[in-house]
Amino acid sequence: MSDQPLVLDIEDLTIRYGGVISAVDNVNLSIRPGEVMGVIGESGSGKSTLAHSILGLLPKSAHIEAARFRLSGRDVNAMDDSERAALRGPLAAMIFQNPMTAFSPIHRLGQQLSDLLWRDGQMSRAEKRERIITMLRRTGIADPAAKLDAYPFQFSGGMLQRVAISAALLMQPALLIADEPTTALDVTTEAQILHLMRELRDQSGVAILMISHHLGVIAELCDRVAVMYAGQIVEEGPVEAIFAAPAHPYTQALLACEPALIRERQGRLPVIAGEVARPGGPGCRFAPRCSVAEELCRQASPPVRPAAAEGQRYRCVRDLA
Amino acid sequence: MTAPLIETRNLVVSLRQGFQWPLLGSPKPRVDILPGLSLTLRHGEILCMVGESGSGKTTFGKALLGLANVVSGEVLFEGKTLADHKSRSFRPIRRRAALLFQDPVSSFDPRQRIRSVIAEPRRIAGLTGTGHSEIAALAARAGLPAQMLDRFAHALSGGQARRAAVARALSAEPSLIIADEPTAGLDVSVQGGVLNLFQDIRASQGTAFLIITHNLAVARLIADRIVILYLGRVVEEGEPDALFAAPLHPYTRALLHSEPVPDPMKRRSKPPVLGEVPAISRRPQGCEFHTRCPHAADLCRAVAPSLSAVSATRSVACHFPLATTRTDTGRLMTRTAG
């Protein structure tokens, strides 16, 4: 495995809008083949911006800078738009939060799915159809041949998300980016979709970048997790270590707020006071809401330190290791 | 004993499906969203109604205010039966109840300042005290800083908008607040604040809450009582600790086990329930959960179980409630089948 290049290799990625506000700041992220990497963060943390930048889906107003930006060993930094477009599919594909808006409402699913295989010019219609049917069956769609003639509105949200996953995997990408794929679904359906994603990873070895605000989803599926706050990764490590022994005060506070982790009904529920600070300015971005912030936190940008567990790192002025 | 705040008896809400051309064709079939819901809500109680999409939980909240098409059944408000199901008959309830909408920002008039948004129910109810200081006091009770009152809805953050909506709900001094998914779309770091606020309001003013949610973890922490809905019927009802410790209905247990646990050491090997919620226009025969129930027997496919009390605070609609017949492996006794 070690000779295979990293599926995603990002060093020092900064994304700015309008020159000053950095939505993503100084982010390092790497994903090995077959690995499930989770990115957790609250609204405005930059997790979706990060995910969209990988496929080049950000608006023109976004200014992207990175020391290194590689997909399966290929340097994305140096590519123009059409070269990047060719990467979508074979190297990385994406599923979105709302499957209802991921498909055209006026075309049959069979048509939409075979359009995705347009690059495989030498494949005959029958072959394409066969490949689509196989993929739909693998994602748990019953009677897939009949479903090719159906329109998206004839499916439930959970079923359509399965079709969206098939669509993403049709081109056998090395990396599947999933941006809150279960947020719009009911819990019983969510459990099924998470199970499906893990099964597909085990079978095909596709790496997954899972974006979510839901701690339960991350714990259920991921091997490693990065915690984002206000555009920065504040902690990163193996999922077991992050949930068992979070090092960064934000990760600790986030876990303390999760209703499912509160064992006893006490009077009041925990909150993180204050609001997300606007990115920019000196010091730690979490300092205004941090319960253990000191004077130093507001002046100097905190360094990234190793934590107790192997591969666990956090960004804080205090040395907790 | 005082009468409960609101009681419904066999409340039926239905819609006709599809478009009906005037004077043409036979009437479209009626689809019962709530096929007969009986529920009581006591003074000062926090009742959480939990169910998946399409379970009718939002419809029930609307029906209490006369905002849904109630076809039959009785609604009692403080012991008095409403005369009929016409919208105006619900006015006594509307005067005393407030609705917190799922998306607060879209429930505000974008061209009114938050101050007048909050004052409006008070004016309509004919209450005195719509001046600056009274509105600021209302906002303060909801935890909304006074400087936000001169803003417009779009200039509030998600958490602030929720607080403004709570302030508006409090404005006409209600006995009941119906909150539809009050924490959906809120970050975990701020949702606790909204729920704490509900508990404060209940403690200081004795306001009852009907909280409609799909989030069981939240319901467990704040509810006095939880009602689980499936396809518009109550399948289980009980106090949170008892309900979580030992769910009686297989659907309740499936819901509890479906929620992903934020602990990577407790991963599930397979999803706890298969299939999807059936369409409400094609309700299964017998017990409506039998199509997805791992324990379904012939009886379940033929006869619908009725909601029956297990104890003073607990009831369940199942032929084979879990705690009574479950063996060590968690499987139902198969000899009862057939």
Side-chain angles (χ1 to χ4, degrees):
Chain A
M1 291 293 273
S2 57
D3 54 333
Q4 276 184 320
L6 291 169
V7 165
L8 179 70
D9 185 10
I10 296 179
E11 194 188 307
D12 208 359
L13 171 70
T14 298
I15 302 172
R16 284 196 189 84
Y17 287 103
V20 273
I21 304 160
S22 46
V24 170
D25 188 45
N26 204 261
V27 160
N28 298 321
L29 192 70
S30 62
I31 305 177
R32 288 186 288 272
E35 186 177 45
V36 184
M37 179 80 193
V39 174
I40 191 153
E42 298 186 284
S43 42
S45 62
K47 55 191 194 303
S48 285
T49 307
L50 172 64
H52 283 75
S53 74
I54 297 167
L55 285 183
L57 298 179
L58 292 177
K60 284 262 185 288
S61 58
H63 182 73
I64 306 170
E65 265 173 54
R68 190 166 65 236
F69 202 137
R70 290 202 178 119
L71 272 172
S72 294
R74 300 189 41 197
D75 190 358
V76 181
N77 247 347
M79 289 183 185
D80 62 30
D81 284 353
S82 66
E83 284 172 311
R84 287 194 76 145
L87 303 180
R88 290 176 210 139
L91 290 194
M94 189 152 176
I95 53 173
F96 298 89
Q97 180 171 341
N98 189 349
M100 295 287 171
T101 56
F103 291 96
S104 158
I106 56 165
H107 297 99
R108 293 175 198 276
L109 278 178
Q111 178 68 53
Q112 298 192 46
L113 291 173
S114 58
D115 282 353
L116 295 170
L117 293 171
W118 64 276
R119 254 181 246 138
D120 285 308
Q122 55 277 70
M123 215 192 273
S124 74
R125 269 189 175 193
E127 280 168 339
K128 283 183 184 173
R129 190 181 154 86
E130 204 43 55
R131 193 153 142 199
I132 291 167
I133 289 174
T134 315
M135 186 53 78
L136 286 175
R137 190 171 289 125
R138 274 182 62 196
T139 55
I141 304 282
D143 194 11
K147 300 283 162 51
L148 294 181
D149 289 332
Y151 291 95
F153 73 87
Q154 294 170 301
F155 288 75
S156 67
M159 277 300 148
L160 207 55
Q161 194 62 289
R162 286 173 193 269
V163 179
I165 293 173
S166 325
L169 295 181
L170 261 184
M171 295 154 284
Q172 294 162 335
L175 175 66
L176 175 65
I177 303 169
D179 189 2
E180 304 264 10
T182 61
T183 305
L185 306 176
D186 281 322
V187 273
T188 54
T189 316
E190 173 179 76
Q192 294 168 23
I193 295 288
L194 292 177
H195 183 248
L196 170 69
M197 289 178 74
R198 198 162 51 196
E199 220 172 53
L200 290 170
R201 190 274 300 256
D202 293 345
Q203 286 167 9
S204 67
V206 62
I208 299 174
L209 176 64
M210 181 79 179
I211 311 285
S212 183
H213 69 282
H214 193 322
L215 289 164
V217 167
I218 296 288
E220 182 79 30
L221 191 69
C222 299
D223 303 322
R224 278 196 305 142
V225 56
V227 183
M228 283 191 84
Y229 185 82
Q232 292 177 328
I233 291 180
V234 294
E235 184 161 3
E236 187 196 332
V239 69
E240 295 84 3
I242 299 281
F243 279 80
H248 195 279
Y250 174 65
T251 319
Q252 292 167 359
L254 197 62
L255 284 165
C257 286
E258 170 62 40
L261 288 175
I262 300 172
R263 288 184 201 289
E264 292 291 313
R265 275 167 63 115
Q266 346 80 322
R268 302 189 71 75
L269 300 171
V271 293
I272 306 179
E275 301 208 359
V276 181
R278 287 224 153 199
C284 171
R285 290 180 176 183
F286 186 57
R289 301 174 79 187
C290 184
S291 59
V292 291
E294 318 160 5
E295 200 40 50
L296 183 61
C297 302
R298 293 183 187 90
Q299 291 159 2
S301 192
V304 176
R305 305 169 179 277
E310 199 190 329
Q312 187 181 1
R313 289 189 300 256
Y314 67 106
R315 185 189 284 264
C316 188
V317 292
R318 293 172 319 136
D319 187 1
L320 300 160
Chain B
M1 209 180 114
T2 55
L5 181 61
I6 286 189
E7 186 177 353
T8 66
R9 291 184 190 153
N10 223 5
L11 187 75
V12 179
V13 174
S14 51
L15 287 175
R16 297 214 181 272
Q17 214 180 22
F19 180 72
Q20 179 87 49
W21 284 98
L23 307 177
L24 287 178
S26 52
K28 290 277 195 305
R30 218 180 72 177
V31 180
D32 291 343
I33 297 165
L34 299 179
L37 201 65
S38 302
L39 205 73
T40 52
L41 186 65
R42 292 183 275 273
H43 285 276
E45 178 182 43
I46 298 185
L47 176 69
C48 280
M49 197 167 238
V50 178
E52 296 184 277
S53 42
S55 62
K57 50 194 197 301
T58 298
T59 304
F60 178 72
K62 285 182 170 176
L64 292 184
L65 299 176
L67 299 175
N69 184 29
V70 177
V71 178
S72 66
E74 270 184 277
V75 180
L76 288 83
F77 181 62
E78 297 188 320
K80 287 196 282 284
T81 310
L82 300 191
D84 53 39
H85 304 128
K86 293 203 181 78
S87 177
R88 58 178 304 148
S89 304
F90 286 86
R91 278 189 190 166
I93 301 186
R94 264 182 236 155
R95 168 62 191 81
R96 298 276 303 282
L99 185 57
L100 271 180
F101 295 91
Q102 190 166 357
D103 177 8
V105 175
S106 69
S107 77
F108 295 152
D109 179 348
R111 292 190 284 182
Q112 277 186 45
R113 290 184 198 278
I114 295 301
R115 180 186 307 284
S116 82
V117 165
I118 294 175
E120 198 169 22
R122 228 176 149 74
R123 268 204 310 273
I124 293 169
L127 295 175
T128 55
T130 51
H132 275 219
S133 59
E134 284 94 346
I135 300 304
L138 269 174
R141 229 187 294 159
L144 187 72
Q147 67 265 29
M148 300 291 164
L149 291 173
D150 290 318
R151 295 195 179 179
F152 291 96
H154 67 85
L156 301 184
S157 73
Q160 288 164 349
R162 293 282 157 154
R163 289 176 186 280
V166 173
R168 176 175 66 178
L170 289 174
S171 155
E173 295 165 13
S175 323
L176 168 67
I177 293 181
I178 299 171
D180 191 0
E181 299 281 8
T183 60
L186 278 189
D187 285 325
V188 277
S189 68
V190 293
Q191 75 176 12
V194 172
L195 299 171
N196 287 338
L197 182 59
F198 288 0
Q199 290 180 320
D200 293 346
I201 292 166
R202 194 260 295 263
S204 64
Q205 282 155 88
T207 313
F209 281 85
L210 173 66
I211 298 178
I212 293 159
T213 180
H214 65 276
N215 192 332
L216 271 164
V218 162
R220 178 177 70 99
L221 292 177
I222 59 159
D224 299 321
R225 198 152 56 97
I226 296 179
V227 170
I228 310 275
L229 285 189
Y230 189 72
L231 289 180
R233 284 186 213 277
V234 176
V235 296
E236 187 166 356
E237 186 186 325
E239 289 171 348
D241 288 342
L243 194 95
F244 274 76
L248 294 178
H249 198 284
Y251 179 61
T252 312
R253 193 170 64 155
L255 274 186
L256 291 178
H257 289 202
S258 293
E259 187 67 43
V261 185
D263 183 349
M265 311 309 278
K266 290 185 190 157
R267 286 187 182 173
R268 300 158 296 191
S269 52
K270 62 180 177 54
V273 60
L274 299 170
E276 303 201 331
V277 183
I280 211 152
S281 53
R282 288 189 299 273
R283 290 175 178 276
Q285 286 285 311
C287 172
E288 286 167 349
F289 187 59
H290 86 253
T291 52
R292 304 172 75 193
C293 183
H295 315 304
D298 288 348
L299 179 63
C300 308
R301 285 180 268 274
V303 183
S306 59
L307 188 70
S308 46
V310 180
S311 70
T313 55
R314 195 80 187 275
S315 41
V316 64
C318 182
H319 291 303
F320 309 106
L322 289 171
T324 52
T325 48
R326 191 175 55 183
T327 62
D328 286 340
T329 53
R331 283 253 150 217
L332 264 187
M333 292 189 297
T334 42
R335 64 174 176 276
T336 52

